Amino acid sequence: MDLYAALLQPFVEFGFMRRAVVACLALSLGSGPVGVLLVLRRMSLVGDALSHAVLSGAATAFMIAGLSFVAMSIGGFIAGLVVALLSGVVARVTPQREDASFAAFCVISLALGVLIVSTYGSNIDLMHVLFGTILAVDNASLLLIVSVATLTLATLAVLGRGLIVECFDPEFLRASGGPGAFLHCVFLTLVVMNLVAGFHALGTLMAIGLMILPAAASRFWTGEVATLAAVSSLIAFASGYAGLLLSYHANLPSGPAIILVAGAVYIASFAAGPSGSVWARLVPQRHFEA
């Protein structure tokens, strides 16, 4: 009975907890594989920058339509794509690397977004946009999150092989006449879509957390891309579930609790995971010395 009360009762009794855990599941299924591709491409910080870029579009939509999840989603999606496009153009017509142009445009976008929300909203509105309210996810927001996850999985099922090839050897893909630029655009679109979905639950500042932390942790457990995606999604959902329980029983903010649980899994993984962790590197050395 105590175990039931600790692990299941909140989701049985409260509808907002059920919606939150379903949102975590959908975010995990979509963000897990996309996060793995980000990590494998060494673009984790680009993903973080894009999460900040979403803010200016969401803030502009907020200024026009108020706290409308449809308007803010469209605005955030457009802003993310514009920043990705501008960064790519700058990287191709100037000597500057793409990560530097991403950082520049996203800092501008973040400052613009904070300025707009601070000027036309309140401190509560700003906190909502920056940090999200997963326990306040309504049916419309949940439908958006589930739709993004479904579209992401369908896209990966159709274009997954090409995305993986473009991830590991983009020069070969271009040299062989493959659609490298198209696949790169598709990938960045998937990243922005999942960040917009996560924005409603975790806010613009932490939406990237459920995408990057589980993906980074999975590298210490397996090496195959498909398995990495599955493990990343599993870690993301487990972190979401545990974070919701932690926030419920300890009366903590749910978004930060979820990300901190994912962070704890990452720390445990690089410390004691079976593949490439500190423990895995020390064990053969100790065995040799013995």
Side-chain angles (χ1 to χ4, degrees):
M1 183 63 180
D2 290 338
L3 187 62
Y4 166 79
L7 300 181
L8 295 176
Q9 187 175 3
F11 304 103
V12 173
E13 289 189 0
F14 303 106
F16 67 89
M17 290 291 287
R18 290 194 295 273
R19 285 191 295 271
V21 78
V22 172
C24 285
L25 177 59
L27 287 173
S28 303
L29 292 175
S31 297
V34 173
V36 167
L37 292 176
L38 268 176
V39 171
L40 292 177
R41 289 167 179 258
R42 299 182 180 180
M43 291 178 62
S44 301
L45 291 179
V46 170
D48 183 51
L50 279 175
S51 71
H52 299 333
V54 169
L55 178 59
S56 63
T60 302
F62 167 78
M63 179 179 65
I64 298 172
L67 282 173
S68 166
F69 96 95
V70 174
M72 293 176 73
S73 298
I74 294 173
F77 181 71
I78 293 173
L81 288 184
V82 168
V83 166
L85 178 62
L86 289 175
S87 301
V89 169
V90 170
R92 281 159 180 77
V93 302
T94 71
Q96 191 170 64
R97 291 171 57 89
E98 190 175 30
D99 58 341
S101 58
F102 262 109
F105 281 114
C106 290
V107 168
I108 295 170
S109 183
L110 176 63
L112 178 62
V114 172
L115 179 66
I116 292 173
V117 177
S118 299
T119 303
Y120 294 94
S122 64
N123 288 335
I124 295 176
D125 296 327
L126 181 61
M127 294 292 287
H128 170 82
V129 172
L130 292 178
F131 300 106
T133 51
I134 192 169
L135 295 182
V137 168
D138 56 14
N139 291 334
S141 299
L142 188 59
L143 179 62
L144 171 70
I145 295 171
V146 172
S147 299
V148 167
T150 303
L151 183 57
T152 298
L153 292 176
T155 303
L156 291 175
V158 175
L159 300 175
R161 186 180 297 274
L163 288 170
I164 293 171
V165 173
E166 202 267 337
C167 171
F168 285 106
D169 200 347
E171 298 300 328
F172 168 78
L173 192 63
R174 295 189 188 97
S176 61
F182 169 74
L183 290 172
H184 190 65
C185 290
V186 169
F187 171 67
L188 289 177
T189 301
L190 289 178
V191 173
V192 174
M193 282 172 45
N194 282 275
L195 288 174
V196 169
F199 149 72
H200 288 287
L202 300 170
T204 58
L205 292 186
M206 289 189 294
I208 191 66
L210 209 59
M211 184 179 293
I212 293 300
L213 286 171
S218 67
R219 292 294 302 274
F220 298 104
W221 294 94
T222 185
E224 297 182 1
V225 176
T227 312
L228 281 170
V231 172
S232 177
S233 294
L234 180 61
I235 292 175
F237 177 64
S239 300
Y241 189 90
L244 287 173
L245 286 175
L246 179 63
S247 69
Y248 176 81
H249 291 295
N251 195 26
L252 297 173
S254 53
I258 290 171
I259 301 304
L260 285 176
V261 171
V265 174
Y266 170 72
I267 292 173
S269 298
F270 86 69
S275 176
S277 68
V278 175
W279 178 81
R281 290 175 180 271
L282 290 179
V283 167
Q285 181 180 350
R286 291 178 178 177
H287 179 72
F288 176 77
E289 290 174 353

